[in-house]
């Protein structure tokens, strides 16, 4: 039989011609998306390396799954198909959906296909292989690929590639059975069990699992597959070249089938994911016409002054003392990264509220309702809303302002929080946790933003203060505020004042239970072994009942003392009576975008507890272990996917890959992923669309879910069995100037007003109930005890705030 694979049989000069020829044709590729969190990275790789036009369809798209004719008509519009990776097992129909139909397409429908990971396993399964569980799953590990330099590996050197799999393809090869028959046995011969599958690559260095098949091709049909992930940031360039080779082979096959080449190519939509529904004009116009708030100016009123000896807490006290509602986002010095670090600690933002309160936009997920609360807590607008992000989009777009200080990232806008469950809605995860009794209290918002029209910004890099307003005729506020700040007679020096604060004694505490948590770790690992997840961020929450109401501001300052971190927040929002107080000391930026359209994610994954014996050097050694790096890598690739989905191919890059950062109680492994939003914005369109779109497309934060995100969130909801609420969500702002910045809600305590009451049934003592979440990423390499200790360390870093001084 003549191999369809022209490269292997051609001479080197012929190969040249071949490469030139296929470089000229840009393929139209259908991507079958199995709900992986790396899909957009593959699409980006196809786009950049082949200049391909890629359209993506989910494997369970009913339009095609229930109508084979429609599926075939769809295929006719494309030159080739890529069947992507994903959670689950290829033997399970619901995990592969349409991919299964690819392998027995009738001859006249045949087209070139590349299977990646789950897609590769599905190809193996279709042609006689068994798909089995690895002894030790391989997630985020970067290994050498030994290949035969043929077919899709033509002219490639040895390379390293990232693996994300729990299952493997067993073709009955002697390497896999350990039965080496003779010296003439060839690694690259098909086996009697799978005569149509030729092995093309192996991982021969896996000491736990033995040799693992890394690539195959079909002997007669234009089907190829790779087990590793060519799109991962840690797969080297050589490994990614496989895509080019594949297209050359695919193209040659198409050329050899002239009739098929003339596919019914209609205008294809260029790939670009959008989480905002296409026509939400009704919602948009409602948001736009919402006048029940302070009318805002188009131009920012502002004045600056030197920070001098002032500091942020002092300013808060001067301007916000006794306010019922307040919001402060504060950059804090941490031991290594000082307050003027441009990456983490550049600005503090104080939203100045009125004495009677602040106007707010609240979203109640259970009722799909958005409400507008006036400063005194009256509901002035209430409407069903099936897309809160479009609503916020319209709202901020309408209030676009200009002319504020260049070095101030926030000129006025919305400041607040988004819960974890509101994030789940964006990825269509419905969980039993939604029905949890705590979620019956529908007065609690799932998203809450204060409309901040007056603000004070501290630029820590330049020691400058900006006093700003976007209210009409508000010059008096500016001058009075400047005056108040300048004439403050009690400057405290540049460090945080030393608050001597003792919170009221703890009346009772509930904590995660060791055995339960360890069992949950095992449950996570069993899902990982089955191939349903690559990494799961397991969490639990503690409650602390204080025996009397606290002064939450003093408690916040106390938290700053015991656990300083670069993205801290003090928030009192919500409707009075069902409001919430949040005291946060988060080390983790989720997402920032500037007015110019530069986006940045700063995920943390990998934690080492500080102790007397734990030096930075030792911590770095531990955090450089394959376990910690694998955890981080998975989240980096996941976030690249979230970012690629909005900004498209070629507009993302790594600013920092896995650096160790030191915090008060832990060392953390931190990566920084950046991208450009601007390129995708056609002239004249709203500039902030992509910022909000990116936020919506990236929730909940990948570092709090694991990968693949959707399946992992479903699994976690079942394992944890209760909602996470504010913990695991994000806190930050949407600037009317066009930027935004959000931190991940970790190392945080929060309380709902409606939980203030008797400290226990029948008690006359009135206390308040604080919640503190903590967790960590579980991988196949985790140990239950190790994970318990890690969760406990993070929990303690926040719980210290309740200790009496
Ligand atoms: C879950 C928490 O932290 C998350 C998990 C981390 C990890 O697994 O190493 C690190 C930072 C956060 O993304 C927490 O602090 O509660
Ligand atoms: N990345 C993937 O596609 C994984 C495939 C399969 N779920 C496995 O774990 O082996």
């Amino acid at each position: 039989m003549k191999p369809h694979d022209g490269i292997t049989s051609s001479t080197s000069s012929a190969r040249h011609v071949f490469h030139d020829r296929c470089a000229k044709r840009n393929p139209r590729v259908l991507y079958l998306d199995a709900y992986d969190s790396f899909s957009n990275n593959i699409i980006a790789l196809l786009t950049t390396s082949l200049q391909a036009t890629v359209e993506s369809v989910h494997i369970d798209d009913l339009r095609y799954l229930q109508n084979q004719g429609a599926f075939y008509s769809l295929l006719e519009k494309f030159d080739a198909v890529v069947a992507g990776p994903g959670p689950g097992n290829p033997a399970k129909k619901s995990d592969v959906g349409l991919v299964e139909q690819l392998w027995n397409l009738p001859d006249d429908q045949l087209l070139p296909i590349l299977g990646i990971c789950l897609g590769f396993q599905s190809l193996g399964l279709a042609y006689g292989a068994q798909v089995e569980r690895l002894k030790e799953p391989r997630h985020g590990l970067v290994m050498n690929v030994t290949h035969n330099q043929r077919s899709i590996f033509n002219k490639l050197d040895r390379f390293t590639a990232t693996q994300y799999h729990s299952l493997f393809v067993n073709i009955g090869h002697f390497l896999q059975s350990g039965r080496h028959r003779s010296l003439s046995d060839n690694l690259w011969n098909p086996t009697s069990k799978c005569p149509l599958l030729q092995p093309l690559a192996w991982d021969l260095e896996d000491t736990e699992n033995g040799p693992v098949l890394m690539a195959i091709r079909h002997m007669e049909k234009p089907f190829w597959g790779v087990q590793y992930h060519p799109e991962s940031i840690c797969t080297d360039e050589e490994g990614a070249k496989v895509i080019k080779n594949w297209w050359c082979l695919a193209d040659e096959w198409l050329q050899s089938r002239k009739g098929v080449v003339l596919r019914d190519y209609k205008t294809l939509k260029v790939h670009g994911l959008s989480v905002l529904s296409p026509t939400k004009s009704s919602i948009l116009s409602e948001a736009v016409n919402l006048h029940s708030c302070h009318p805002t100016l188009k131009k920012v009123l502002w004045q600056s002054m030197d920070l001098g000896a002032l500091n942020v807490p002092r300013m808060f006290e001067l301007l916000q003392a006794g306010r019922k509602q307040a919001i402060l986002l504060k950059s804090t010095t941490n031991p290594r990264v000082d307050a003027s670090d441009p990456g983490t600690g550049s600005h503090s933002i104080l939203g100045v509220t009125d004495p009677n309160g602040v106007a707010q936009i609240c979203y109640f997920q259970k009722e799909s309702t958005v409400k507008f609360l006036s400063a005194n807590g009256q509901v002035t607008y209430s409407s069903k809303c099936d897309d809160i992000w479009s609503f916020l989009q319209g709202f901020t777009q309408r209030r676009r302002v200009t002319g504020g200080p260049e070095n101030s990232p926030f000129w006025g806008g919305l400041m607040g929080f988004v819960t974890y469950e509101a994030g789940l809605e964006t990825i269509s995860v419905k969980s039993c946790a939604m029905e949890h009794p705590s979620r019956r209290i529908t007065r609690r918002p799932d998203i809450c933003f204060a409309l901040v029209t007056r603000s004070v910004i501290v630029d820590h890099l330049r020691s400058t203060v900006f006093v700003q307003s976007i209210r009409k005729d508000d010059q008096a506020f500016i001058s009075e505020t400047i005056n108040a700040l300048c004439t403050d007679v009690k400057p405290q020096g540049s460090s945080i004042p030393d608050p001597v604060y003792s919170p009221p004694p703890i009346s009772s505490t509930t904590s995660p239970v060791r055995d339960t948590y360890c069992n949950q770790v095992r449950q996570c690992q069993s899902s990982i072994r089955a191939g349903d997840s690559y990494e799961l961020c397991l969490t639990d929450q503690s409650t602390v009942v204080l025996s009397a109401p606290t002064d939450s501001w003093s408690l916040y300052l106390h938290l700053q003392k015991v656990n300083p971190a670069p993205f801290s927040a003090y928030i009192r929002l919500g409707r009075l009576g069902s409001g919430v107080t949040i005291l946060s000391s988060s080390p983790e930026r989720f997402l920032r975008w500037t007015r110019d359209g530069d986006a940045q994610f700063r995920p943390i994954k990998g934690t080492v507890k500080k102790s007397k014996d734990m030096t930075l050097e030792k911590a770095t050694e531990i955090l450089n272990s394959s376990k910690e790096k694998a955890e981080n890598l998975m989240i980096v690739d996941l976030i690249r996917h979230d970012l690629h989905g909005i900004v498209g191919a070629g507009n993302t890059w790594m600013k920092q890959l896995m650096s160790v950062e030191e915090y008060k109680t832990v060392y953390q492994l931190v990566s920084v992923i950046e991208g450009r939003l601007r390129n995708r914005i056609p002239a004249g369109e709203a500039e902030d669309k992509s910022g909000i779109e990116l936020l919506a497309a990236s929730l909940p934060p990948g570092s709090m879910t694991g990968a693949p995100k959707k399946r992992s969130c479903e699994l976690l909801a079942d394992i944890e069995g209760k909602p996470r609420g504010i913990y695991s969500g994000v806190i930050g702002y949407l600037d009317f100037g066009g930027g935004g910045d959000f931190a991940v809600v970790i190392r945080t305590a929060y309380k709902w007003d409606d939980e203030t009451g008797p400290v226990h049934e029948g008690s006359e003592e009135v206390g308040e109930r604080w919640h503190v979440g903590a967790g960590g990423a579980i991988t196949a390499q985790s140990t239950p005890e190790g994970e318990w200790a890690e969760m406990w360390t993070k929990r303690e870093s926040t719980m210290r705030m309740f200790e009496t001084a």
Side-chain angles (χ1 to χ4, degrees), residues 535 537-540 587-588 603-608 623 628 631 635 667-669 702-704 724 727-728 744-748 773-778 787 790-791 794-795 797-798:
E535 165 168 359
C537 185
L538 179 66
T539 72
D540 202 347
E588 185 169 348
I604 297 185
K605 196 91 328 212
T607 304
V608 169
L623 290 170
E628 303 292 331
E631 277 185 25
I635 301 309
Y667 295 98
Q668 306 260 229
L669 202 55
S703 60
M704 298 307 290
R724 293 185 181 178
Y727 170 68
S728 291
V744 180
V745 184
I746 50 174
R747 326 290 152 91
T748 295
I778 313 299
E787 292 304 332
E790 180 175 327
M791 180 278 290
K794 291 176 187 152
R795 174 187 181 273
S797 69
T798 311

Side-chain angles (χ1 to χ4, degrees), residues 155-446:
K155 294 210 280 187
L156 298 190
D157 290 332
R158 210 170 140 94
F159 63 85
T160 53
T162 308
Q163 302 177 2
Y164 288 115
H165 63 122
S166 304
L167 313 176
F168 74 100
V169 172
N170 188 345
I171 53 170
H173 197 273
F174 68 84
L175 280 180
Q176 294 176 309
S177 62
R179 270 177 278 117
H180 201 292
R181 284 180 317 225
S182 78
L183 279 180
S184 63
D185 275 345
N186 189 323
L187 292 186
W188 317 115
N189 284 344
T191 60
S192 54
K193 181 175 168 173
C194 304
L196 291 174
L197 298 178
Q198 184 188 15
L200 298 177
W202 294 91
D203 173 357
L204 299 175
E205 292 166 0
D206 182 340
T207 48
E208 279 146 337
N209 297 299
V212 179
L213 187 61
M214 280 291 126
I216 48 177
R217 76 172 180 96
H218 194 282
M219 299 289 287
E220 293 166 0
K221 298 187 181 187
F223 301 160
W224 297 262
V226 291
Q227 174 66 79
Y228 71 91
H229 281 244
E231 81 293 352
S232 167
I233 194 73
C234 284
T235 293
D236 71 27
E237 277 185 23
E238 205 64 9
K241 279 188 198 158
V242 159
I243 297 288
K244 279 195 179 155
N245 279 347
W246 166 70
W247 170 238
C248 284
L249 294 170
D251 191 39
E252 197 199 42
W253 183 87
L254 288 168
Q255 308 278 354
S256 72
R257 304 243 309 187
K258 287 194 193 91
V260 185
V261 177
L262 297 173
R263 289 179 163 267
D264 170 23
Y265 174 53
K266 309 248 167 62
T267 321
L268 283 178
K269 192 165 57 92
V270 179
H271 177 77
L273 300 179
S274 174
V275 289
L276 300 183
S277 321
T279 47
K280 295 281 181 220
S281 50
S282 57
I283 298 175
L284 272 175
S285 60
E286 278 187 85
V288 163
N289 291 328
L290 198 59
H291 287 305
S292 35
C293 60
H294 299 287
T296 54
L297 274 183
K298 291 277 168 226
K299 226 166 155 47
V300 184
L301 288 176
W302 62 277
Q303 211 172 317
S304 65
M305 58 178 269
D306 284 342
L307 180 61
L310 272 169
N311 60 54
V312 176
R314 179 71 192 138
M315 287 175 165
F316 182 90
E317 282 158 17
L318 274 172
L319 303 174
Q320 295 284 271
R323 294 290 200 268
K324 293 195 178 76
Q325 293 177 323
I327 181 155
L328 168 70
L329 306 179
K330 181 171 169 298
S331 292
T332 315
T333 314
N334 82 35
R336 291 268 159 171
V337 186
D338 81 345
S340 57
D341 178 87
T344 54
S346 59
H347 292 85
S348 291
I349 301 179
L350 167 56
V352 179
T353 57
D354 290 343
N356 57 340
V358 62
Q360 295 161 65
I361 294 176
C362 296
Y363 175 65
F364 300 84
Q365 190 181 1
K366 226 175 157 193
E367 306 155 339
S368 302
T369 302
V370 66
K371 290 186 182 167
F372 199 83
L373 309 183
S374 67
N376 59 14
Q378 300 304 310
V379 178
T380 53
Y381 170 88
S382 174
S383 172
K384 283 272 174 209
C385 173
D386 61 359
D387 186 347
I388 180 63
W389 301 102
S390 288
F391 184 94
L392 292 170
Q393 175 67 43
F395 191 87
T396 51
Q397 203 171 306
R398 162 79 172 174
R399 286 160 182 79
R400 175 69 67 243
V401 293
T402 56
E406 205 183 306
N407 292 324
S408 165
F410 179 84
W411 291 338
L414 301 177
M415 293 174 79
F417 65 84
V418 179
T419 58
Y420 176 75
E421 279 70 31
L424 289 185
E425 192 180 77
T426 64
I427 50 168
S428 309
V429 170
K430 289 198 173 61
S431 76
C432 57
M434 302 280 188
E435 299 310 316
H436 193 264
S438 66
R439 290 186 58 79
R440 293 202 194 113
I441 308 168
T442 49
R443 292 195 312 166
R444 296 180 185 171
D446 294 287

Side-chain angles (χ1 to χ4, degrees), residues 759-780:
V759 290
H760 50 79
E761 238 182 78
S763 165
E764 290 190 358
E765 252 180 326
V766 171
E768 46 191 34
R769 180 178 296 262
W770 290 86
H771 302 268
V772 173
I778 313 299
T779 63

Side-chain angles (χ1 to χ4, degrees), residues 677-690:
L677 288 165
R678 264 298 172 275
N679 296 2
R680 276 202 54 219
I681 300 168
E685 283 216 355
E687 297 96 61
D688 62 349
K689 180 170 191 279
S690 294

